[in-house]
Amino acid sequence: MITAHYAHRLPADYDIALIRERAKKRGAIWDAVPDLFFKAFLLRERGRFGAIASSYSSLYLWRHDEAFRDFLVSGRYKVVTDGFGRAEIQTGFALDARKGSGQVARFAYKDERRIALDADLTATFAAEIERSGKEAEKAGAVAAIIAIDAKNWTLTRLVLSEHEPDGEQRGEAYEILHLARPLLETLPRAADQ
């Protein structure tokens, strides 16, 4: 599985209603994409949940690398570049992804952690997989994913949740404007670890 996330910072005076409308219109296009566990249309709005600037972004969990490749070469990303320009796409290999008991994902949480140079990688990965599974078991969790960027040795913890930020979550909080979930239900359940 591969995670992909890209963001576009918006001008301070950008009409956020346009982003909400774009997600509403484009969301259904993704509801039946093969080999896609989910695509989250995300918003960070300046002044809300710790955001100092507004941004619009997309977060994906692809079944395999060919699906991500097809997304890039089929022209699906061109719609993004035509509207917002080319963004850096942060990718990672999912070490684990679990479906929680939550049903309606309203927020996404992204927490990045660098792996210390002298860390035992096997132990680190095992601990992160276990931690991610426990995140998926929490009330309101729709899904939890742990991914690795092996170029920069960075772990990305992702949680899709029914719950609004309450200060307990770490990392960046995003409002989910639309969650396309073609294969989300096929992820192993949190209790299946």
Side-chain angles (χ1 to χ4, degrees):
M1 290 179 283
I2 297 190
T3 60
H5 181 234
Y6 54 84
H8 303 279
R9 189 171 176 155
L10 302 172
D13 60 350
Y14 196 90
D15 184 356
I16 297 299
L18 295 174
I19 294 299
R20 293 182 185 283
E21 185 61 28
R22 179 183 176 96
K24 185 177 178 181
K25 284 182 181 176
R26 300 220 23 95
I29 295 169
W30 291 88
D31 287 339
V33 172
D35 296 318
L36 178 65
F37 287 103
F38 67 80
K39 176 184 178 176
F41 292 77
L42 305 176
L43 174 66
R44 279 184 55 82
E45 193 171 351
R46 182 172 56 123
R48 295 190 70 213
F49 309 120
I52 61 169
S54 295
S55 67
Y56 174 57
S57 64
S58 294
L59 173 65
Y60 306 80
L61 180 60
W62 295 99
R63 184 184 288 194
H64 47 70
D65 61 339
E66 291 89 0
F68 178 57
R69 174 213 171 268
D70 291 347
F71 160 70
L72 292 174
V73 302
S74 69
R76 283 188 181 267
Y77 189 61
K78 184 178 183 321
V79 172
V80 177
T81 60
D82 286 351
F84 296 96
R86 188 185 325 170
E88 174 186 346
I89 302 176
Q90 299 172 327
T91 58
F93 294 97
L95 301 175
D96 193 61
R98 300 279 167 179
K99 170 81 177 80
S101 61
Q103 295 301 310
V104 180
R106 296 177 47 233
F107 290 89
Y109 302 98
K110 179 182 179 184
D111 185 25
E112 294 180 327
R113 302 286 172 161
R114 294 205 40 95
I115 301 172
L117 185 60
D118 56 352
D120 176 328
L121 292 176
T122 303
T124 299
F125 296 154
E128 287 294 329
I129 290 168
E130 181 179 352
R131 183 189 176 288
S132 186
K134 288 180 179 172
E135 285 293 325
E137 291 175 353
K138 289 183 178 178
V142 175
I145 300 97
I146 181 68
I148 177 78
D149 169 354
K151 176 184 177 197
N152 298 305
W153 293 107
T154 304
L155 291 163
T156 302
R157 300 168 178 168
L158 300 164
V159 176
L160 306 182
S161 177
E162 295 177 332
H163 300 300
E164 184 171 303
D166 60 7
E168 296 295 314
Q169 297 82 5
R170 300 187 76 157
E172 297 175 335
Y174 298 83
E175 180 183 355
I176 297 175
L177 302 177
H178 179 82
L179 182 66
R181 44 191 299 160
L183 300 176
L184 183 64
E185 297 303 321
T186 68
L187 287 176
R189 306 280 306 174
D192 295 341
Q193 295 189 59

